[in-house]
Amino acid sequence: STLVTSAAQNFSVGTFTGTGSTTTVGHSLNGAPEAIFVKNATASGNWCVYHEDTIASPATAFLELNTTTVRTVNSAIWSNTEPTSTVFTVGTESNVNGSTDTMSFMAFRSIPGVCKVGSYTGNGATDGPFVNLEFKPRWVLIRRSDSGSDPWCVIDTARNPFNTTTNPLVLRPNTTDIDTSGTLGSVDFLANGIKFNSITSAGNGSLGNFVYIAMADIGGHGTLPPIYGI
């Protein structure tokens, strides 16, 4: 692969040439990636997403960044092989490994104080879950993986600098929509994570499996409430 890697080694973005047969791709993160996005840049097709916290074995299934399709089992995507500290595996599916096609990818892994890849379980209550990121978040991507037809949601403190609004502005990568509100209900950004304060199927459905990627506010933009629970 040809790629660029962040200094903290929490994120890399790159390209490789597809082979059409199961192969491995270098990611340069110096640790196993916990989330991977792959797109065939030559042919039309869906973005395929690996996330280690999808229900059951993540190497047997995938999500699609550009659709609301829930976790789908397909051994031809990741070839039933977990990523390692040096490579991730792509199978024979053209969306991740089209023969002679140019493939693009993004890979993420958790680095304390920089990035967190994880999941939480919704409780379907107005006093919703607190997601402990152990840092002040700047940007969070959320997706329910187990059921329903809910969108991917991006929230951040650039468009939502204060916790005075009950419905933060949300971008939905699987649509062409502009900023919208209400999709996730009430969410507070805190000094050590995010806190859900309402019931929505996209962010706090009862017993739902929600996967996320969060980036820290390393630049220290603005002031957030204190650490949750203190």
Side-chain angles (χ1 to χ4, degrees):
S1 58
T2 301
L3 48 78
V4 175
T5 308
S6 66
Q9 292 189 307
N10 66 297
F11 171 72
S12 63
V13 56
T15 62
F16 63 95
T17 300
T19 63
S21 58
T22 300
T23 191
T24 58
V25 181
H27 53 70
S28 78
L29 292 183
N30 196 34
E34 296 149 276
I36 305 166
F37 298 70
V38 180
K39 176 71 173 73
N40 189 323
T42 301
S44 61
N46 296 321
W47 282 86
C48 294
V49 181
Y50 168 92
H51 194 292
E52 72 166 12
D53 284 345
T54 54
I55 294 173
S57 172
T60 65
F62 68 103
L63 295 166
E64 294 174 342
L65 181 63
N66 57 301
T67 77
T68 58
T69 302
V70 295
R71 175 188 178 277
T72 303
V73 174
N74 185 342
S75 61
I77 303 296
W78 315 119
S79 193
N80 295 351
T81 305
E82 301 286 353
T84 73
S85 61
T86 56
V87 299
F88 65 91
T89 300
V90 288
T92 57
E93 169 61 47
S94 63
N95 283 345
V96 295
N97 192 19
S99 179
T100 73
D101 291 345
T102 297
M103 316 301 300
S104 61
F105 74 90
M106 297 176 287
F108 300 81
R109 78 179 181 109
S110 298
I111 297 291
V114 177
C115 176
K116 182 70 176 293
V117 181
S119 66
Y120 64 91
T121 301
N123 65 9
T126 53
D127 183 9
F130 164 65
V131 183
N132 187 4
L133 303 174
E134 299 182 344
F135 56 66
K136 176 181 173 182
R138 178 66 167 168
W139 177 96
V140 186
L141 172 69
I142 299 169
R143 172 74 165 92
R144 180 165 183 169
S145 72
D146 60 327
S147 67
S149 58
D150 295 297
W152 292 81
C153 296
V154 173
I155 52 175
D156 58 73
T157 59
R159 291 171 302 131
N160 301 287
F162 305 105
N163 286 331
T164 55
T165 176
T166 58
N167 296 308
L169 292 174
V170 173
L171 285 172
R172 298 184 287 201
N174 56 284
T175 75
T176 58
D177 296 343
I178 58 174
D179 282 341
T180 186
S181 62
T183 306
L184 290 177
S186 175
V187 183
D188 284 339
F189 291 90
L190 302 171
N192 61 338
I194 56 175
K195 173 69 168 64
F196 291 85
N197 304 306
S198 61
I199 306 167
T200 64
S201 59
N204 185 24
S206 180
L207 301 180
N209 172 245
F210 295 87
V211 296
Y212 68 84
I213 301 172
M215 295 294 190
D217 189 358
I218 297 173
H221 300 84
T223 302
L224 293 178
I227 292 175
Y228 180 75
I230 296 178

